Amino acid sequence: MIKTLLPLLLGASALTACAAGPDYKAPATPTAAAGAFIGATGPAVSTAQADDHWWRLYSDPVLDGLVQDALKANTDIRVAVARLEKARAQLRGARSDRLPQTRLSGSPSYGRASAAQTLPGADRENWTIDAGMNVAYEVDLFGRVKRSIEAARGDVNAASADADAVRVAVVADTVRAYVDATSSAERIAVARHTVALLDNSIRITNARFEVGRSDRLDVIRVTALRDQQAAIIPSLIADRDGALFRLATLTGRAPQQLPAPIREQEKTPDLSQPIPVGDGRALLARRPDVRAAEQRLAADTARIGVATADLYPRITLGGSIGTTAIGGGDILGGGPFRWLLGPLINWAFPNQEANRARIAAARADADGSLASFDGTVLQALEETETALSVYAHALERRDTLKAAREAADRAARISLARQREGQIDFLTVLDAQRTLAAAEGDLAAANRAVAFAQVDLFRALGGGWTTG
């Protein structure tokens, strides 16, 4: 029987060349989307190929270690990897449909038959042993199995791209939290420096009050300004603690497990070179969300073929061998041995409305996936252009605030010198010090905004997940 079955299986496999439904073709990149970015004209960026390991551009070993820890231990990445493994398992299951399906069975039993069912002189109580093997193979004439494998492969590729997207997000969030912690530390230092300057102003004003060159109101005013600046410090410390706790979670640690060197970092990472951004074509090839959307489109296109194949007969070649012996005799002898061989044809005909409805639903899913892909492409371009614009204007704003801070510092120094000479009143000095304090705070916030804009730009570019 095996010699008869094998040629049939091999011959049937040669008939599986055709597959129902459309073959997938990747959407073409729009010409307008493939060119240079609108915002890639300033000196802060270059058109060189974007760097996957972009965080290394900061040349910060502490940051490098944090990113590697996040890539290894972040819980969101672990969830994404588990989903990828599930999709791979489903692909293995789809591929198994190409192989003959086998089933072994065996059932020994002991019982008593009625007298009417027993031959004269035979034992009414006896063992009955039944054993067999069934083999079934689907002849994939119309590509149902082939399209199912294509759909499962698309799901795997989409899950892989989704995992990459999670890595991109985790790396960006880790760098952003690090920037938040270090910039908060810098802003704390600025605030404390401002308070120290105002403490000195209080001492000077008190000394002038004691010799009658100033009044009590001047002391009260400068003390109030000093307390206002001191009140900013606790909220900055809370911001820094929150950023550190967020870093711990992103790197798979409890807050108490964050290493001390990380807590001691007080310098915000900054770039000393233009950011390489590439062009639109490279962006769309690199962005994992675009790749995931394309693979979902491929999977849904293949599912049209799966549904279409159900319009045609499903042919299964099958065979079985077995034996049934009573009384524990020779179960492999010619008497109890049996075998069967033959095809099984299933075909929902002529009423195929349900199948055609499933085809229409599959086509609608594919149309939706195509629209989703187009939307993802547009969103990728929008996010990148927006990030480029925000970064350029954040740098411009910081440069302006640097000049304002330098001017405020000169004004504060001049006003103090003139006050000592009795040329101006205290209100002018107080106003200059208030302006300097505001300028210091604005510049520190601008430095933070620039660093955040850099991270957002790198995130929009879609790189930064590989660990090599």
Side-chain angles (χ1 to χ4, degrees):
M1 192 274 292
I2 299 296
K3 292 181 179 180
T4 305
L5 182 59
L6 285 177
L8 287 174
L9 295 177
L10 293 173
S13 64
L15 300 176
T16 62
C18 66
D23 292 327
Y24 174 70
K25 294 182 180 179
T29 301
T31 304
F37 297 117
I38 296 173
T41 57
V45 298
S46 73
T47 56
Q49 182 65 31
D51 192 339
D52 268 346
H53 303 87
W54 55 266
W55 61 90
R56 295 180 181 173
L57 297 176
Y58 290 109
S59 300
D60 188 331
V62 175
L63 177 59
D64 292 345
L66 284 170
V67 170
Q68 295 305 316
D69 291 345
L71 288 171
K72 292 175 183 177
N74 182 267
T75 55
D76 289 339
I77 292 178
R78 289 165 54 194
V79 170
V81 170
R83 289 173 178 164
L84 174 58
E85 291 303 317
K86 178 181 177 180
R88 286 172 174 166
Q90 292 171 336
L91 175 59
R92 291 197 299 272
R95 284 173 172 167
S96 70
D97 289 340
R98 283 179 168 174
L99 305 174
Q101 307 300 308
T102 58
R103 184 180 65 184
L104 296 174
S105 62
S107 59
S109 60
Y110 184 82
R112 176 184 175 91
S114 68
Q117 295 176 327
T118 306
L119 296 175
D123 292 336
R124 293 177 61 189
E125 296 183 6
N126 215 330
W127 283 94
T128 300
I129 300 176
D130 186 87
M133 180 180 74
N134 297 323
V135 180
Y137 176 77
E138 179 178 347
V139 182
D140 196 23
L141 285 176
F142 304 102
R144 187 191 70 84
V145 174
K146 178 182 177 181
R147 294 303 194 197
S148 297
I149 294 172
E150 289 177 3
R153 186 181 297 114
D155 290 339
V156 169
N157 293 336
S160 177
D162 285 340
D164 291 346
V166 172
R167 293 184 179 101
V168 169
V170 167
V171 169
D173 288 344
T174 300
V175 177
R176 189 180 181 92
Y178 182 74
V179 166
D180 199 1
T182 53
S183 67
S184 293
E186 284 193 1
R187 293 164 71 196
I188 291 169
V190 169
R192 286 174 173 166
H193 176 67
T194 300
V195 169
L197 292 176
L198 292 172
D199 283 337
N200 187 51
S201 294
I202 291 174
R203 286 192 294 271
I204 294 172
T205 307
N206 270 323
R208 291 173 59 83
F209 169 71
E210 290 174 358
V211 298
R213 299 182 61 185
S214 181
D215 57 31
R216 172 61 65 181
L217 183 58
D218 293 342
V219 177
I220 294 173
R221 284 171 172 167
V222 72
T223 301
L225 178 58
R226 183 264 181 205
D227 291 342
Q228 288 175 349
Q229 294 301 309
I232 298 174
I233 296 175
S235 64
L236 294 176
I237 294 175
D239 288 345
R240 184 170 184 270
D241 288 344
L244 291 172
F245 299 153
R246 192 160 63 252
L247 263 180
T249 300
L250 287 164
T251 55
R253 298 180 173 98
Q256 298 86 346
Q257 296 175 315
L258 199 63
I262 298 173
R263 298 178 180 274
E264 296 168 358
Q265 292 297 310
E266 296 183 349
K267 180 174 176 54
T268 302
D270 195 15
L271 292 176
S272 58
Q273 63 187 65
I275 295 177
V277 299
D279 58 15
R281 185 180 300 277
L283 170 74
L284 299 180
R286 186 174 56 250
R287 288 258 308 207
D289 56 342
V290 174
R291 288 188 280 114
E294 181 187 347
Q295 291 303 314
R296 288 191 178 93
L297 174 59
D300 286 340
T301 302
R303 289 188 179 97
I304 298 174
V306 175
T308 303
D310 287 338
L311 290 175
Y312 307 105
R314 186 179 301 182
I315 301 174
T316 303
L317 298 180
S320 68
I321 56 175
T323 182
T324 302
I326 299 176
D330 184 10
I331 64 173
L332 299 179
F337 184 77
R338 65 181 187 276
W339 63 269
L340 292 172
L341 178 65
L344 175 64
I345 300 177
N346 289 319
W347 192 11
F349 184 83
N351 182 10
Q352 294 190 328
E353 187 58 32
N355 288 337
R356 295 189 184 282
R358 284 193 289 271
I359 294 172
R363 289 188 182 278
D365 284 341
D367 290 342
S369 294
L370 177 58
S372 178
F373 171 78
D374 291 340
T376 303
V377 168
L378 295 176
Q379 183 178 2
L381 295 169
E382 174 198 346
E383 289 177 357
T384 303
E385 293 288 7
T386 300
L388 285 166
S389 176
V390 170
Y391 181 46
H393 290 92
L395 289 172
E396 182 180 352
R397 181 173 184 271
R398 185 176 67 175
D399 290 342
T400 302
L401 289 173
K402 281 182 179 178
R405 188 265 172 200
E406 292 172 359
D409 182 60
R410 289 195 302 271
R413 293 176 184 275
I414 291 171
S415 64
L416 282 174
R418 290 184 177 180
Q419 184 195 28
R420 294 189 189 98
E421 298 171 357
Q423 297 179 0
I424 59 175
D425 59 15
F426 178 75
L427 287 178
T428 303
V429 176
L430 184 64
D431 182 64
Q433 290 178 332
R434 184 182 291 112
T435 300
L436 175 59
E440 293 274 12
D442 288 344
L443 180 57
N447 288 332
R448 180 172 181 260
V450 167
F452 279 177
Q454 290 170 351
V455 175
D456 290 342
L457 176 55
F458 285 125
R459 184 172 188 162
L461 292 172
W465 55 266
T466 54
T467 57

